[in-house]
Amino acid sequence: MDTAGDSGTSMAQVSLTALAVASARAAETRRPDRLFDDALAQHFIAAAGPDVPFTAGPAESTGPDGAARPGLEPLGDYVAIRTRFFDDFFTEAASAGCRQAVILAAGLDTRAFRLDWPAGTRVFELDMPELVAFKERVLTERAAHPVAERVVVPVDLRTDWPAALLAAGLDADQPTAWLAEGLLPYLTPADADRLLAGISRLSPAGSRLAVEHIDPALFAHPRVRRTNEEIGFPADQLIQGGPGRPPRRWLAEQGWHATAFTVAERARAYGRAVPPIFDPAGPDPVAGDNLVSATRVG
Ligand SMILES: C[S@@+](CC[C@H](N)C(=O)[O-])C[C@H]1O[C@@H](n2cnc3c(N)ncnc32)[C@H](O)[C@@H]1O
């Protein structure tokens, strides 16, 4: 499933990152002190088998297939922390009245199945067609039933995805809670700007938006580079930089009032060790204001 786009990004490779994140969520789900319960994650990993090259967190020595998988050690529990942050974002948006959620680049996200959505909520999931096909196959095999009404939109987010989303039933007159998790670094600054313009056009007052911001310095960090080389993750090919400016400024430019949380602050709030790479007390930390939520101004 190699559909290299203008940027040269291979979607097959990017989708491997969705498996890596699901692998970290499966590992978190096995912990007694888990920050969430993603019971479906292990089934995606089992279905992918040896295609999962690594886990996006601490090393897993006991994957579902029994194989050892190296982990992105410098990231520690980062995926679990970010998952919990965005879970809480959707819960708060629902309490505030949002009955539409759009998960951009949803990957193997299972929030439509595992969060406590109010009746009448519609959850739209957008991702590349190849990734969607794999996900739907596994969900059908597991006879999984979503809590919310779930609408899947196979689309490349560098194309006219707003048209596809409207055709799939999004009501642009109603407030929506949007999420871009694990996506922005794979977009060029121009594609990220276009993405935000599309979100903003479809967002009346009362809408909310959460994004994961990754400082490009993360991928240049010697510890992360070393790990990427060990696991064969082609970050140099995949990472396109994202918005290229601080997230609050980027969001304010298009009418969003944002609050950014550091990974260290959220880790402590959830009772977890601060991931080494984001630990301000550690050697050579990367800026950790990754977890951002915003409301529509006006
Ligand atoms: C790191 S994964 C994150 C998936 C999910 N948000 C999560 O946190 O589990 C990146 C996802 O972005 C998707 N993706 C990357 N570029 C995309 C694009 N241009 N259009 C649609 N999806 C894209 C990939 O297919 C993949 O599922």
Side-chain angles (χ1 to χ4, degrees):
M1 62 179 193
D2 192 335
T3 52
D6 293 340
S7 63
T9 302
S10 160
M11 282 307 128
Q13 291 170 318
V14 176
S15 295
L16 281 180
T17 64
L19 283 166
V21 181
S23 172
R25 288 195 291 258
E28 177 71 16
T29 299
R30 288 193 288 276
R31 286 179 65 147
D33 61 345
R34 57 187 162 270
L35 298 177
F36 53 83
D37 198 338
D38 188 349
L40 288 165
Q42 62 171 317
H43 298 298
F44 296 124
I45 304 311
D51 282 350
V52 186
F54 58 91
T55 175
E60 270 197 292
S61 55
T62 52
D65 58 1
R69 293 192 179 91
L72 300 183
E73 293 292 350
L75 294 183
D77 290 341
Y78 174 61
V79 170
I81 292 164
R82 91 175 194 200
T83 302
R84 172 60 182 276
F85 178 80
F86 294 126
D87 282 2
D88 291 350
F89 162 78
F90 277 126
T91 301
E92 284 159 25
S95 298
C98 289
R99 293 291 176 271
Q100 300 184 118
V102 176
I103 306 179
L104 300 158
L108 302 172
D109 182 307
T110 62
R111 290 188 173 94
F113 299 83
R114 62 181 183 78
L115 295 189
D116 191 15
W117 301 98
T121 303
R122 305 180 89 188
V123 177
F124 297 84
E125 295 181 10
L126 281 60
D127 207 296
M128 299 296 283
E130 298 88 343
L131 189 285
V132 169
F134 168 76
K135 182 177 187 178
E136 295 311 295
R137 177 169 68 76
V138 175
L139 292 172
T140 302
E141 283 167 7
R142 304 311 307 174
H145 290 292
V147 176
E149 183 188 342
R150 178 169 173 266
V151 182
V152 179
V153 187
V155 69
D156 185 331
L157 291 164
R158 297 166 298 180
T159 63
D160 188 8
W161 61 268
L165 185 54
L166 290 169
L170 183 87
D171 183 348
D173 294 325
Q174 298 300 318
T176 294
W178 302 83
L179 173 61
E181 177 186 27
L183 169 63
L184 297 180
Y186 302 108
L187 301 179
T188 63
D191 283 332
D193 286 352
R194 271 191 291 274
L195 183 84
L196 183 57
I199 295 169
S200 303
R201 264 201 315 279
L202 300 178
S203 294
S207 295
R208 294 174 176 229
L209 168 60
V211 303
E212 180 199 27
H213 164 75
I214 298 281
D215 188 326
L218 177 81
F219 300 99
H221 193 284
R223 287 185 67 185
V224 174
R225 287 190 81 90
R226 195 170 58 237
T227 307
N228 283 340
E229 278 162 22
E230 280 165 17
I231 64 179
F233 179 66
D236 290 345
Q237 292 168 40
L238 293 181
I239 301 305
Q240 305 294 324
R245 47 215 191 270
R248 277 184 294 185
R249 197 170 91 209
W250 180 60
L251 292 165
E253 286 169 11
Q254 297 207 38
W256 295 88
H257 176 70
T259 308
F261 293 82
T262 66
V263 178
E265 189 274 338
R266 282 296 88 193
R268 291 190 196 101
Y270 302 148
R272 289 296 170 91
V274 177
I277 199 96
F278 298 119
D279 188 349
D284 204 9
V286 170
D289 58 340
N290 297 35
L291 303 170
V292 184
S293 67
T295 52
R296 191 82 177 122
V297 181

